[in-house]
Amino acid sequence: MASFGWKRKIGEKVSKATSQQFEAEAADEKDLADEDDANWVHATKRRKEVLLEDCVKRSKELKDEGANLAENRRYREAIHKWDEALQLTPEDATLYEMKSQVLMSLHEMFPAVHAAEMAVQRNPRSWDAWQTLGRAQLGLGEIALAIRSFQVSLHIFPMNPEVWKEDLSWARKLHEQQKATKTEAVQALANEKELVQESIPDYDFESDEIVAVCAAIAEKEKALSAAKTVVIVSASGTVETVTEKENCPATPDETLFIRAR
């Protein structure tokens, strides 16, 4: 029976000098590969930086073009330019804030609020973004939210007289008017309910007058039910109305008349 023993490895016959030369060549190739990898990473990073710089530069050009269009009241074209710029720099809060202003000029309040909210999300420290958001919220009638937005804007930039004297003052005035209107509406509704309740008389169904009226109606109904009215048509075509009493059931000769009720 054949026994299994240790087998000589193939590389064992390779000389020591050949092995050292192979290792040196492999190390050189590894260094070259590492250097190529480093160069590739650096080139890719630089390419991204150049692309980003180009995007920022092109976005600024589109932003300026949109601003010029907006100054000339070409609002739709301005929005189109800013949307293109947002494709290149989606984190630019200024673009959203400018877009919100133009949408308010077009009386599109829901998109204006959305654009202003995007501006605030991207730059919560922008006092003008909060101011624009407050103005858009006022356009929707959200007075309480607008007051809060103006207060945040003032917290960021307390020395802004426009927000303090115009925006916040106007919003508070509207809020007071809204509260007064709600109070008047509630009072008017309460007065209307009281008037309706007073207009319904409170009848006393057990009073002597009501009992007497009910008794009279009952007597009249009883008299009507005791008498029966009969229409008699004779054979010759003569029509006669006869009132029968319960105690007087006499009727004309049935051979001469046809009874019709």
Side-chain angles (χ1 to χ4, degrees):
M1 181 177 179
S3 61
F4 294 95
W6 175 82
K7 292 183 180 180
R8 186 186 299 275
K9 294 181 180 180
I10 297 175
E12 190 172 335
K13 294 183 178 181
V14 180
S15 65
K16 186 175 181 181
T18 304
S19 176
Q20 291 175 350
Q21 182 180 0
F22 176 78
E23 291 176 357
E25 292 177 353
D28 293 338
E29 290 179 357
K30 183 179 180 182
D31 293 338
L32 290 174
D34 293 341
E35 185 177 355
D36 290 340
D37 291 341
N39 292 336
W40 179 82
V41 171
H42 178 73
T44 302
K45 184 178 180 181
R46 179 57 186 164
R47 196 177 302 114
K48 288 182 178 180
E49 291 175 354
V50 171
L51 181 60
L52 181 60
E53 291 173 359
D54 291 341
C55 289
V56 173
K57 182 180 178 181
R58 179 56 182 161
S59 176
K60 186 178 183 304
E61 293 175 355
L62 291 168
K63 181 193 294 185
D64 294 339
E65 292 176 9
N68 292 330
L69 291 169
E71 290 178 359
N72 294 322
R73 299 181 181 276
R74 298 165 64 179
Y75 298 132
R76 294 295 180 187
E77 297 176 56
I79 292 174
H80 180 69
K81 292 292 183 181
W82 292 333
D83 284 339
E84 289 184 14
L86 285 171
Q87 295 295 324
L88 301 172
T89 54
E91 298 302 318
D92 191 343
T94 307
L95 288 169
Y96 284 106
E97 191 270 333
M98 296 168 68
K99 182 178 177 181
S100 178
Q101 292 188 52
V102 169
L103 287 168
M104 280 190 283
S105 298
L106 293 172
H107 303 288
E108 298 182 9
M109 294 305 172
F110 280 104
V113 170
H114 176 70
E117 287 176 345
M118 296 292 285
V120 168
Q121 289 176 8
R122 279 152 179 76
N123 187 7
R125 300 294 302 170
S126 174
W127 65 266
D128 49 353
W130 282 103
Q131 180 188 27
T132 301
L133 176 59
R135 290 179 175 179
Q137 289 167 337
L138 271 185
L140 281 181
E142 298 291 345
I143 300 175
L145 293 178
I147 290 175
R148 179 185 176 277
S149 297
F150 292 141
Q151 289 174 341
V152 174
S153 179
L154 277 174
H155 179 74
I156 298 170
F157 184 24
M159 302 304 295
N160 188 348
E162 184 181 16
V163 177
W164 180 262
K165 295 181 180 180
E166 297 181 13
D167 295 316
L168 186 57
S169 177
W170 174 245
R172 285 176 173 172
K173 183 178 180 181
L174 291 177
H175 187 59
E176 293 297 328
Q177 292 178 355
Q178 187 182 55
K179 287 172 60 177
T181 302
K182 287 183 178 179
T183 302
E184 292 177 0
V186 171
Q187 186 63 37
L189 183 60
N191 294 337
E192 184 178 353
K193 287 183 178 179
E194 291 179 0
L195 182 61
V196 170
Q197 290 176 356
E198 291 177 357
S199 63
I200 300 176
D202 187 12
Y203 291 109
D204 183 6
F205 292 98
E206 296 182 359
S207 64
D208 296 338
E209 292 82 0
I210 298 298
V211 173
V213 170
C214 292
I217 293 173
E219 289 295 330
K220 185 176 180 180
E221 292 292 334
K222 183 177 180 181
L224 292 175
S225 62
K228 297 182 180 179
T229 302
V230 180
V231 178
I232 305 298
V233 181
S234 65
S236 62
T238 304
V239 179
E240 183 180 357
T241 302
V242 179
T243 301
E244 293 183 351
K245 300 291 184 179
E246 289 185 353
N247 297 329
C248 302
T251 57
D253 188 357
E254 294 183 358
T255 60
L256 301 177
F257 297 94
I258 300 173
R259 178 177 297 180
R261 293 186 182 275

